[in-house]
Amino acid sequence: MKKLKLTTIALAFASTVLFTGCASITPQYTLVDGSKADGMVQVNARFNAVNNQGPNDELDQVKAIAKEACKAWKYKGEPHMFGGKGSLSQEPVQPFVKPVFNRTYRFQCTD
């Protein structure tokens, strides 16, 4: 009887995992650092995706955040990204959660 209960519980758990898949997060974009005097802005994108590829609109989102920060500091021009697409890091993997990645972008505010 105990063996049957354990088997039933194990099957229920496996079915739940199989049919619900892994947990996802909504992409998050955050201003993480900056210097008004230097006109430097650093923006972080947090997402989970297959093959470390971020959302299609990732660059547009981070550039919009950088533009708002530069505008708040009275810079008039478009912010220029430097350092390429940004450094990518992966958060520690948790059971039943898709891998979560962070990519950091740097921008220079312009007049």
Side-chain angles (χ1 to χ4, degrees), residues 1-11:
M1 187 68 171
K2 274 188 174 183
K3 191 172 186 178
L4 181 59
K5 281 184 180 180
L6 266 130
T7 303
T8 305
I9 291 170
L11 282 173

Side-chain angles (χ1 to χ4, degrees), residues 74-85:
K74 308 294 186 220
Y75 287 93
K76 296 175 182 87
E78 288 288 317
H80 293 287
M81 182 176 68
F82 66 92
K85 191 165 183 170

Side-chain angles (χ1 to χ4, degrees), residues 9-73:
I9 291 170
L11 282 173
F13 179 74
S15 298
T16 302
V17 170
L18 180 65
F19 293 118
T20 59
C22 295
S24 293
I25 63 164
T26 302
Q28 301 165 342
Y29 307 96
T30 311
L31 179 65
V32 292
D33 196 11
S35 168
K36 180 179 178 180
D38 297 331
M40 303 294 294
V41 177
Q42 192 170 325
V43 182
N44 187 62
R46 184 174 187 259
F47 57 91
N48 54 12
V50 178
N51 298 325
N52 306 341
Q53 297 298 313
N56 292 333
D57 65 344
E58 179 181 342
L59 191 54
D60 294 336
Q61 295 286 339
V62 296
K63 190 166 186 178
I65 291 170
K67 186 174 184 176
E68 285 299 313
C70 292
K71 185 178 172 183
W73 291 338

